[in-house]
């Protein structure tokens, strides 16, 4: 992320919080009190910090997925559907396949990656072979994934009897951190005596944040240091120039969407294997893929910047959820703040105008000081 994009992001977050403060004042709430509740609600206790990270992991991964596609000139709005099929693939392997611990978890994660990758590759194939706009096809595939997941829950091998949920994954497929230890007698004794450790490990802490960090670094490396990344970005910058230079545009379009979909599928697998432990009948789409778009935009489509961006998004939503109970304020205000932040980021010319105005005034003050001297 260059300095100008960093400036756009910081200013957009600041302006979003300012607009949020104005809205809070209109509804009769002290914005300083509200933001204090949000900050303490996200980072005030070890348990809250842990929950914020747990909430951030899936949207960091979907954000990286969207950012990767953006970097290659494709708008992947289908991360939601890829997340759903990734969850489904991981659950099927976690429920129906018997394997030793660790290996089982890795295979279940790979199943989520493959399912998401195939779902994303379909969008790439439609675009490369038939010229179908990726926005249209990915939106349609979101709904196909939604109903396909619900259909699979009609199968007796997957759905728990008299329930709207699947069977829980086998313990060997779980990626939770110290899950067995927390339930052991020694673990319970240690946690009982250590408030900090008990708070940190209270939520379903899992390996997902480390997976997200590794994925972010790997994607950055692919885009910046490899021939594949160069070709994919070249197609995104100028398809005609890339084709003239001998790059296979159709092939790279499919590859780009397959990689992007694989990361969104991984997000679904991590959420199932690390937090939920099962899937249920969906009444509506869960929003992880769409939130990933916001995370990617806040991060200026930089894979590594998606990590702090995702944590910020999770902190706003998780901490903002406490506004209702603490101040009797609608927590939906946080969605407005996030929407305003994304809106400002989507207006680079307006942000550039502010930057130039600020730079001009600063330069004028410096010149004025020199003249006085």
């Amino acid at each position: 992320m260059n300095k100008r994009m960093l400036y756009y992001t910081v200013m957009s977050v600041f302006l979003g919080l300012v607009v949020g403060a104005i809205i809070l004042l209109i509804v009769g709430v002290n914005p300083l009190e509200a933001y204090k509740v949000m900050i303490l609600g996200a980072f005030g206790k070890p348990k809250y910090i842990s929950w914020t990270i747990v909430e951030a992991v899936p949207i960091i991964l979907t954000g990286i997925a969207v950012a990767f596609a953006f970097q290659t000139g494709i708008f992947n709005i289908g991360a939601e559907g890829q997340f759903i099929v990734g969850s489904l693939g991981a659950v099927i392997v976690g429920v129906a396949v018997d394997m030793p611990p660790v290996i089982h978890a890795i295979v279940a994660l790979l199943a989520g990656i493959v399912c998401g990758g195939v779902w994303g590759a379909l969008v790439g194939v439609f675009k490369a072979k038939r010229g179908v706009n990726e926005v249209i096809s990915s939106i349609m595939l979101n709904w196909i994934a939604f109903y396909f997941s619900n259909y699979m829950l009609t199968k007796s091998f997957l759905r728990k009897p008299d329930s709207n949920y699947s069977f829980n994954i086998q313990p060997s497929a779980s990626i939770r951190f110290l899950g067995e230890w927390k339930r052991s007698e020694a673990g319970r004794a240690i946690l009982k005596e250590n408030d900090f450790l008990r708070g940190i490990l209270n939520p379903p802490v899992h390996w997902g944040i480390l997976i997200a960090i590794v994925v972010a670094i790997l994607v950055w490396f692919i885009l910046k240091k490899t021939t594949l990344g160069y070709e994919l970005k070249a197609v995104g910058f100028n398809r005609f120039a890339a084709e003239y230079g001998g790059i296979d545009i159709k092939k790279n379009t499919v590859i780009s969407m397959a990689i992007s979909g694989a990361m969104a599928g991984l997000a679904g697998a991590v959420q199932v294997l690390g937090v939920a432990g099962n899937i249920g009948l969906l009444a509506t789409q869960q929003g992880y893929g769409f939130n990933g778009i916001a995370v990617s935009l806040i991060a200026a489509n930089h894979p590594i910047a998606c990590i702090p961006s995702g944590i910020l998004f999770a902190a706003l939503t998780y901490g903002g959820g406490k506004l209702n109970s603490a101040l009797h304020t609608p927590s939906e205000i946080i969605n407005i703040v996030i929407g305003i932040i994304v809106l400002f980021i989507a207006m680079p010319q307006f942000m550039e105008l502010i930057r130039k105005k600020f730079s001009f005034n600063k330069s004028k003050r410096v010149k004025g000081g020199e003249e006085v001297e």
Side-chain angles (χ1 to χ4, degrees):
M1 183 187 296
N2 57 41
K3 291 182 178 180
R4 182 168 297 183
M5 292 307 300
L6 179 62
Y7 170 82
Y8 291 166
T9 299
V10 172
M11 280 300 299
S12 297
V13 172
F14 174 74
L15 291 173
L17 294 175
V18 169
V19 173
I22 294 171
I23 295 172
L24 287 166
L25 285 172
I26 292 173
V27 299
V29 176
N30 185 336
L32 295 179
E33 285 293 323
Y35 287 147
K36 179 182 177 181
V37 168
M38 288 169 51
I39 294 171
L40 293 179
F43 303 109
K45 294 181 180 180
K47 179 173 70 173
Y48 296 163
I49 296 172
S50 198
W51 268 116
T52 298
I53 293 174
V54 168
E55 295 284 336
V57 168
I59 57 176
I60 289 173
L61 287 169
T62 54
I64 296 171
V66 174
F68 180 87
F70 272 141
Q71 291 266 15
T72 62
I74 299 175
F75 185 19
N76 181 14
I77 204 171
E80 182 72 17
Q82 295 145 19
F83 179 96
I84 291 172
V85 296
S87 302
L88 178 63
V91 161
I92 291 174
V93 172
V95 168
V97 179
D98 295 321
M99 288 185 178
V102 181
I103 295 176
H104 197 179
I106 292 173
V107 173
L109 287 172
L110 289 174
I113 292 171
V114 170
C115 290
V118 169
W119 215 252
L122 288 174
V123 177
V125 170
F126 294 151
K127 182 178 178 67
K129 299 296 184 181
R130 298 298 177 187
V132 179
N133 186 282
E134 69 270 20
V135 174
I136 302 300
S137 60
S138 58
I139 289 176
M140 295 299 101
L141 282 169
N142 283 345
W143 288 106
I144 294 172
F146 175 91
Y147 289 113
F148 179 66
S149 177
N150 284 352
Y151 166 75
M152 288 301 296
L153 278 173
T154 64
K155 303 301 180 183
S156 59
F157 81 94
L158 189 61
R159 183 172 180 170
K160 191 183 300 183
D162 302 320
S163 172
N164 289 331
Y165 293 89
S166 71
F167 290 104
N168 291 331
I169 61 170
Q170 299 180 40
S172 57
S174 174
I175 61 169
R176 290 192 182 184
F177 182 66
L178 297 178
E180 293 295 329
W181 178 81
K182 286 192 291 183
R183 290 188 290 271
S184 69
E185 185 175 343
R188 288 198 301 268
I190 293 174
L191 293 177
K192 186 177 180 180
E193 299 296 328
N194 192 315
D195 292 338
F196 176 81
L197 193 60
R198 184 171 65 250
I200 284 289
L201 296 179
N202 178 271
V205 181
H206 54 81
W207 295 103
I209 186 63
L210 295 180
I211 293 173
I213 292 170
V214 170
V215 169
I217 295 172
L218 181 62
V219 168
W220 173 84
F221 181 82
I222 290 173
L223 289 172
K224 292 292 184 181
K225 305 294 183 179
T226 67
T227 303
L228 173 64
Y230 172 81
E231 291 184 354
L232 293 175
K233 287 194 297 181
V235 173
F237 286 136
N238 191 319
R239 298 175 65 86
F240 301 106
E243 187 175 24
Y244 183 77
I247 296 174
D248 189 335
I249 294 179
K250 294 182 178 180
K251 175 185 173 182
N252 280 279
T253 298
V254 176
I255 291 174
S256 174
M257 278 305 305
I259 294 174
S260 179
M263 287 184 284
L266 174 62
V270 166
Q271 186 68 6
V272 164
L273 303 177
V275 181
N278 59 23
I279 60 172
L281 286 173
L282 299 173
T284 184
Q285 295 190 16
Q286 298 168 290
Y288 289 108
F290 299 118
N291 289 341
I293 296 173
V295 167
S296 176
L297 289 173
I298 293 172
N301 301 324
H302 192 290
I304 295 179
C306 284
I307 297 171
S309 174
I311 292 174
L312 171 65
F313 193 103
L316 288 173
T317 52
Y318 180 67
K322 296 179 173 62
L323 286 176
N324 199 344
S325 58
L327 300 175
H328 305 290
T329 304
S331 57
E332 285 76 12
I333 288 177
I334 300 308
N335 293 330
I336 296 175
V337 171
I338 293 171
I340 294 296
I341 291 172
V342 174
L343 177 64
F344 280 122
I345 288 175
M347 296 191 297
Q349 291 182 339
F350 175 72
M351 301 306 297
E352 180 66 11
L353 184 65
I354 295 176
R355 189 187 71 83
K356 287 182 177 178
K357 181 68 176 176
F358 177 77
S359 300
F360 175 76
N361 288 337
K362 183 178 179 181
S363 175
K364 193 173 181 181
R365 286 195 301 270
V366 170
K367 289 181 179 179
E370 290 176 352
E371 288 174 1
V372 170
E373 290 178 359

